[in-house]
Amino acid sequence: MKNLISCFLLASITLFFSCSHKSIEVSDPDIFKDYIVSYTNGLVSSESDVRTVLNFDNLEWQPNQELSSDLFSISPKVSGKVIAINSNTLAFVPSKKLDQDTEYHISFHLDELKDVPKEQRTFVFKIKTLKQNTTISKKVKLL
């Protein structure tokens, strides 16, 4: 009976933790092609910003103008600011380097800029920062 209770307890704990760890699905870029031309993805430097190029212009934006930080959500959490690069390109600029060898999930809230159908309100994509392998060697001159 003790073994049965232990097995049940172990199974319950395992189920709880496996269900609480949510997997984040990235968006299908084809669904957003009328609004988003390109975006940062794949492997990037820890010093990179995160850009989204739109399929429409916002003539009110000036280069380097700071925009609403609500346009991007990033997990794990990263502080920074959102700026306009030009009339159709936005960049999230982290306030410090991104952590190396880390996968980031980015949600771009398109509905903050434009009225879009419900399924196109948020574009989710991911990036992964490179692990920097730096080796410093010292040359020794033999006499």
Side-chain angles (χ1 to χ4, degrees):
M1 184 69 172
K2 241 183 189 180
N3 283 344
L4 183 61
I5 292 172
S6 295
C7 286
F8 178 74
L9 184 61
L10 181 62
S12 297
I13 291 170
T14 303
L15 182 63
F16 173 77
F17 283 109
S18 66
C19 290
S20 65
H21 185 64
K22 261 186 166 175
S23 164
I24 299 174
E25 267 191 58
V26 296
S27 300
D28 178 357
D30 287 337
I31 295 172
F32 290 84
K33 67 183 176 188
D34 291 336
Y35 304 105
I36 298 173
V37 176
S38 65
Y39 56 95
T40 303
N41 64 27
L43 289 173
V44 299
S45 164
S46 61
E47 296 180 20
S48 291
D49 58 18
V50 177
R51 295 187 183 201
T52 303
V53 180
L54 304 172
N55 201 11
F56 56 91
D57 289 318
N58 186 326
L59 300 177
E60 296 175 10
W61 294 343
Q62 299 299 314
N64 296 315
Q65 176 185 348
E66 192 165 339
L67 303 173
S68 170
S69 60
D70 293 338
L71 289 167
F72 288 93
S73 301
I74 300 180
S75 177
K77 188 146 178 68
V78 176
S79 61
K81 63 183 178 179
V82 177
I83 62 167
I85 302 297
N86 56 40
S87 65
N88 74 331
T89 304
L90 306 172
F92 174 82
V93 181
S95 54
K96 62 182 183 105
K97 286 184 184 181
L98 298 171
D99 292 335
Q100 292 182 26
D101 196 27
T102 302
E103 186 172 272
Y104 291 92
H105 289 87
I106 297 107
S107 297
F108 174 64
H109 304 287
L110 182 60
D111 62 335
E112 295 283 327
L113 297 175
K114 199 166 192 63
D115 279 337
V116 292
K118 183 179 179 181
E119 61 276 359
Q120 294 171 315
R121 289 182 184 163
T122 303
F123 179 64
V124 180
F125 57 103
K126 64 183 176 179
I127 60 172
K128 183 168 182 178
T129 52
L130 295 166
K131 182 176 182 179
Q132 305 286 315
N133 290 327
T134 306
T135 305
I136 300 172
S137 61
K138 184 177 180 181
K139 289 187 179 185
V140 179
K141 191 173 188 179
L142 298 175
L143 298 174

